[in-house]
Amino acid sequence: MRVSLSANIGRFTLPNPVMVASGTFGYGTELTGFLNTKKIGAIVTKSISLHPKKGNSPPRIVETPSGMLNSIGLQNVGIENFIKDKLPLLKKSGANIIVSIFGDSPEEYGEAARRLEMAGGIIAIEVNISCPNRKKWNKIFAVDPVLTSEVVKTVRDATSLPVIVKLSPNVTDIAEMALAAESSGADAISAVNTFIGMAVNIETRRAELGAVTGGLSGPAIKPLALRMVWEISKKVKIPVIGIGGIMNARDALEFLMVGAKAIQIGTATFVNPDSAMEIISGIEAFLKAKKIDSVEKIINTFNG
Ligand code: RRO
C-alpha cells in the first residue's frame, strides 16, 4: 500500500514531516557526505545573527541522565558569511532549507530576514527567540508575550517568506506565547527549545559547563515538551512543529497525535546521524501496519 508522508505547514509543504532541528545539524553541509539530505523533510540551520559570534567558553556540552546540556552561546559565522559560503552548498544539495535567525533587538531580526529573502533558495525562516544561553532574561524574548510580539511583527513586516517562531519551554504558560506569536503574524510555531539546567562536579564543586547553566535536551525532556505541544495545539490555529527529545518513530508519532503537523529531531542526531531517516521509515511502517494511507490522518487524533 502507498502511504503519503507529505506534510503541509501552512504556506509550504514538505515531502515528509521529519526535519532536523537548528543547532544539531550545523549549516547542513557537514553531513552531506554521509546522508542524502534531500530525503529529510527540511534542514533547519544553526541560528545565525547579523554579526559573527564566538560563543561561550568550554566545556560547552555535558551528558546528563537521558539527556545533555549545551551552552554553545550562539556561536555562528554571521549572516554575510552564511550567505556567501554556506548557503550555496546547501542549495546545491537539493535539501529543503529553513534558516534559523536570532538578534539582540527586533530590528536585527528584521534585517536578517530581509537579507535571507534576497539571498533566495530558502523555504522559511525560523525565528529563534528562545536561546537559553543568553546572559540576561530580557534577551530571551520568548519569555514575554509583548517582546515576542515585537520581534514577530518586525520579521513579518520584513519578509514575505513563511515565518516559524521557536518558543521557549522556560515559561509558565507557553500557549500564551504561542497566541502572541500567532496574532503578530507568525505562520507556524516550533516548540520547544531547551530547558535551562545545570550540573555540578562534586570533586571540584564547579559547574560542568563553562557558562554554568545550559539548555537541557534529549529523552529527559520529551514528556515535558509533549505536554507543551499539546497545550499549544489546542489554542492556536497555525501549524505547530513539535520538538523535544524525539529519539524514534514512536516518539514522533506521539507528537503528531497531540496535534503537531511536523516534528524536528535534535539530540538523536548526535547519537545516530541517520536518526531522521530511520524515523521517516518508522512512521511509514506504522502507517502501513495500521492501513492508514496518509500521515495527515494521524495528526490530532489523540483520544485524551
Ligand atoms: O547556541 C546555543 O547555545 C543554543 C541556542 Br542559540 C538555542 O537556541 N538553544 C540551545 O539549546 N543552545
Side-chain angles (χ1 to χ4, degrees), residues 144-221:
D144 181 323
V146 176
L147 294 175
T148 295
S149 186
E150 277 174 28
V151 175
V152 178
K153 277 185 183 152
T154 310
V155 176
R156 177 72 293 153
D157 288 346
T159 182
S160 57
L161 282 168
V163 172
I164 305 166
V165 179
K166 186 163 180 179
L167 296 182
S168 169
N170 301 298
V171 295
T172 309
D173 182 3
I174 196 166
E176 182 191 2
M177 310 302 163
L179 286 166
E182 179 179 51
S183 64
S184 306
D187 293 287
I189 298 290
S190 54
V192 294
N193 207 316
T194 50
F195 288 72
I196 299 177
M198 65 189 288
V200 176
N201 179 322
I202 61 166
E203 299 303 328
T204 61
R205 303 185 193 184
R206 297 186 65 117
E208 296 274 18
L209 290 170
V212 182
T213 61
L216 182 67
S217 62
I221 71 164

Side-chain angles (χ1 to χ4, degrees), residues 98-162:
I98 297 176
V99 179
S100 170
I101 58 169
F102 76 93
D104 284 330
S105 63
E107 293 68 34
E108 284 191 16
Y109 280 90
E111 184 56 27
R114 242 187 304 277
R115 293 200 203 176
L116 286 168
E117 181 162 2
M118 278 194 315
I122 68 175
I123 59 168
I125 290 176
E126 185 175 78
V127 182
N128 183 2
I129 52 172
S130 48
C131 175
N133 296 320
R134 295 274 206 175
K135 288 196 180 68
K136 295 193 185 125
W137 276 99
N138 71 357
K139 288 289 177 194
I140 308 180
F141 301 110
V143 301
D144 181 323
V146 176
L147 294 175
T148 295
S149 186
E150 277 174 28
V151 175
V152 178
K153 277 185 183 152
T154 310
V155 176
R156 177 72 293 153
D157 288 346
T159 182
S160 57
L161 282 168

Side-chain angles (χ1 to χ4, degrees), residues 6-304:
S6 161
N8 176 259
I9 321 285
R11 290 169 54 210
F12 62 97
T13 299
L14 302 178
N16 65 68
V18 181
M19 318 182 195
V20 286
S22 177
T24 62
F25 216 79
Y27 295 112
T29 51
E30 294 84 347
L31 286 164
T32 43
F34 302 94
L35 296 173
N36 186 353
T37 47
K38 246 201 267 190
K39 294 218 165 129
I40 299 174
I43 291 176
V44 189
T45 54
K46 169 73 183 156
S47 298
I48 205 94
S49 51
L50 283 183
H51 306 292
K53 272 197 197 292
K54 286 206 171 84
N56 287 337
S57 25
R60 290 170 161 195
I61 285 184
V62 58
E63 206 170 327
T64 55
S66 299
M68 65 172 249
L69 287 163
N70 85 80
S71 70
I72 309 306
L74 303 135
Q75 182 188 342
N76 78 92
V77 297
I79 198 131
E80 284 317 312
N81 291 325
F82 173 78
I83 289 172
K84 185 161 57 75
D85 302 330
K86 310 288 182 188
L87 194 56
L89 271 175
L90 193 49
K91 281 191 205 169
K92 231 164 110 188
S93 76
N96 286 315
I97 309 164
I98 297 176
V99 179
S100 170
I101 58 169
F102 76 93
D104 284 330
S105 63
E107 293 68 34
E108 284 191 16
Y109 280 90
E111 184 56 27
R114 242 187 304 277
R115 293 200 203 176
L116 286 168
E117 181 162 2
M118 278 194 315
I122 68 175
I123 59 168
I125 290 176
E126 185 175 78
V127 182
N128 183 2
I129 52 172
S130 48
C131 175
N133 296 320
R134 295 274 206 175
K135 288 196 180 68
K136 295 193 185 125
W137 276 99
N138 71 357
K139 288 289 177 194
I140 308 180
F141 301 110
V143 301
D144 181 323
V146 176
L147 294 175
T148 295
S149 186
E150 277 174 28
V151 175
V152 178
K153 277 185 183 152
T154 310
V155 176
R156 177 72 293 153
D157 288 346
T159 182
S160 57
L161 282 168
V163 172
I164 305 166
V165 179
K166 186 163 180 179
L167 296 182
S168 169
N170 301 298
V171 295
T172 309
D173 182 3
I174 196 166
E176 182 191 2
M177 310 302 163
L179 286 166
E182 179 179 51
S183 64
S184 306
D187 293 287
I189 298 290
S190 54
V192 294
N193 207 316
T194 50
F195 288 72
I196 299 177
M198 65 189 288
V200 176
N201 179 322
I202 61 166
E203 299 303 328
T204 61
R205 303 185 193 184
R206 297 186 65 117
E208 296 274 18
L209 290 170
V212 182
T213 61
L216 182 67
S217 62
I221 71 164
K222 197 200 80 183
L224 300 164
L226 187 66
R227 184 265 298 174
M228 289 183 173
V229 167
W230 174 60
E231 283 179 352
I232 297 167
S233 299
K234 285 189 293 183
K235 291 271 172 70
V236 300
K237 293 190 183 66
I238 53 177
V240 180
I241 300 163
I243 321 166
I246 298 173
M247 301 302 282
N248 50 44
R250 179 181 285 261
D251 294 337
L253 286 160
E254 285 189 64
F255 278 85
L256 298 173
M257 286 177 184
V258 301
K261 291 263 194 307
I263 50 107
Q264 293 181 8
I265 311 297
T267 306
T269 298
F270 296 135
V271 182
N272 170 12
D274 232 13
S275 292
M277 298 307 298
E278 289 176 11
I279 290 170
I280 296 166
S281 309
I283 292 173
E284 190 173 17
F286 175 86
L287 294 171
K288 277 189 181 158
K290 301 282 181 202
K291 303 205 173 355
I292 300 170
D293 63 7
S294 94
V295 71
E296 299 209 318
K297 290 192 180 151
I298 58 152
I299 291 165
N300 211 10
T301 56
F302 173 55
N303 286 322

